[in-house]
Amino acid sequence: MEFVKDLEDRLLFAVPKKGRIYQTCIDLLKGSDIHFNRSSRQDIALCTNLPIALIFLPAADIAKYVGEGNIDLGITGQDIVAESEVKDKVREVEHLEFGKCRLAIEVPVKGEYQTLESLVGKRIVTSFVNTTSKLFEPLDKKAGKKTIVKHVSGSVEAACALGLADGIVDLVETGESMRAAGLHDIYDIMKTQSVLIANKKTKHTELIEKIASRMRGVIAANKYVLCTYNIERTNLAKATTITPGRLGPTVSSLDSHEGWVAVSSMISKKEKGDILDRLTECGAIDIMVTPFTNCRV
């Protein structure tokens, strides 16, 4: 009972307890300066610097809990939100830029059915029963048939080879497991990524915005680095076209070298190699790149 009292007045924040995005979520929380200690056997962790209680749940359950109001805030996939049928009860606070993949229909490469329409009235196996049923419902009505959609929670790729299905609906990230099972995708139902979602009726709106702002800073810090360099003022205009920054580069005169300036600018982490090459070509020297751990942009 004492532990229940500890949850009073705290924002309840659901995080996946395991799976492919678990560690990324933990890193995001740490980067957002949300401090907590979690025992390996506990699914609830109280934050020590903010009035937050982290609730570790299966990713597939998070959207349902947030939608019903049991949880204020959560990290889950857009595919899970759609499957849980809670879009009218939650709002997407932030796209988190990880866990990106596609929810797609897959069939055997050499199978008889190679189009969405050809699967109408056939057998589909998936863990996304609601989403799949909604897709086939108008097609069934038009064709006067009934597509059989069965739920399987794991090893969906094996269903066709075992004779359980004519096609499957599953998430495709790299496609390696799909190809290994002799399947290929023929229809994309939706693109999905991890999102921060909140119950529309939560009372913790200010704290949620603070969390979202911090997470936006972590996401931006993962996209950008700070580039600094020295260059002759005569070459400044050309250099700043290479490093325009977000609102503009910071430029200051070098007292020790007349006619020279120091420049600092945010640049894309993915493009830093090409940017440094181009800066060197236009006469920049003392070029340095510094990573961010967090920022506000």
Side-chain angles (χ1 to χ4, degrees), residues 7-185:
L7 299 182
E8 291 180 3
D9 298 322
R10 287 180 179 264
L11 177 145
L12 303 185
F13 187 173
V15 180
K17 65 187 298 183
K18 58 182 179 179
R20 64 191 182 94
I21 67 169
Y22 167 77
Q23 190 56 52
T24 307
C25 291
I26 296 301
D27 293 341
L28 180 59
L29 293 173
K30 291 179 178 179
S32 301
D33 202 31
I34 296 174
H35 301 169
F36 64 95
N37 294 307
R38 182 196 179 197
S39 168
S40 60
R41 296 190 177 186
Q42 285 190 331
D43 288 335
I44 298 177
L46 302 181
C47 296
T48 57
N49 64 330
L50 290 168
I52 299 171
L54 297 176
I55 316 295
F56 293 87
L57 296 171
D61 294 339
I62 289 176
K64 179 175 63 178
Y65 278 104
V66 175
E68 295 302 320
N70 307 103
I71 300 288
D72 299 291
L73 190 68
I75 295 176
T76 191
Q78 292 170 313
D79 53 296
I80 300 298
V81 175
E83 178 63 20
S84 301
E85 299 182 318
V86 293
K87 281 188 174 182
D88 60 329
K89 299 178 181 178
V90 304
R91 65 182 179 94
E92 285 190 2
V93 180
E94 194 69 33
H95 290 184
L96 300 179
E97 302 296 328
F98 62 83
K100 292 183 177 181
C101 53
R102 298 175 289 119
L103 184 63
I105 297 178
E106 304 170 24
V107 297
V109 173
K110 298 180 180 179
E112 179 181 354
Y113 310 109
Q114 296 295 318
T115 65
L116 172 64
E117 290 73 20
S118 67
L119 286 170
V120 174
K122 303 304 184 293
R123 301 168 300 161
I124 307 294
V125 163
T126 183
S127 60
F128 296 90
V129 172
N130 293 332
T131 306
T132 304
S133 297
K134 283 183 179 180
L135 173 67
F136 279 97
E137 186 176 340
L139 298 173
D140 285 351
K141 188 175 181 180
K142 183 177 179 181
K145 299 179 180 180
K146 178 60 179 176
T147 303
I148 300 171
V149 181
K150 292 185 177 180
H151 180 269
V152 173
S153 58
S155 301
V156 180
E157 293 97 341
C160 292
L162 294 173
L164 300 175
D166 301 300
I168 68 170
V169 172
D170 202 8
L171 294 173
V172 180
E173 189 172 4
T174 65
E176 285 187 22
S177 58
M178 173 181 67
R179 290 187 289 272
L183 306 173
H184 70 145
D185 54 309

Side-chain angles (χ1 to χ4, degrees), residues 198-251:
N199 182 274
K200 287 183 176 180
K201 296 182 180 180
T202 179
K203 64 180 181 181
H204 299 284
T205 53
E206 289 186 13
L207 182 53
I208 287 173
E209 180 49 40
K210 178 183 285 189
I211 294 167
S213 178
R214 291 185 181 190
M215 289 187 172
R216 282 193 288 270
V218 176
I219 294 166
N222 288 331
K223 289 182 179 180
Y224 298 100
V225 290
L226 180 66
C227 179
T228 61
Y229 56 91
N230 297 328
I231 194 165
E232 289 186 276
R233 189 175 289 277
T234 53
N235 294 326
L236 178 60
K238 184 177 180 180
T240 53
T241 61
I242 301 169
T243 58
R246 289 179 57 82
L247 297 178
T250 300
V251 180

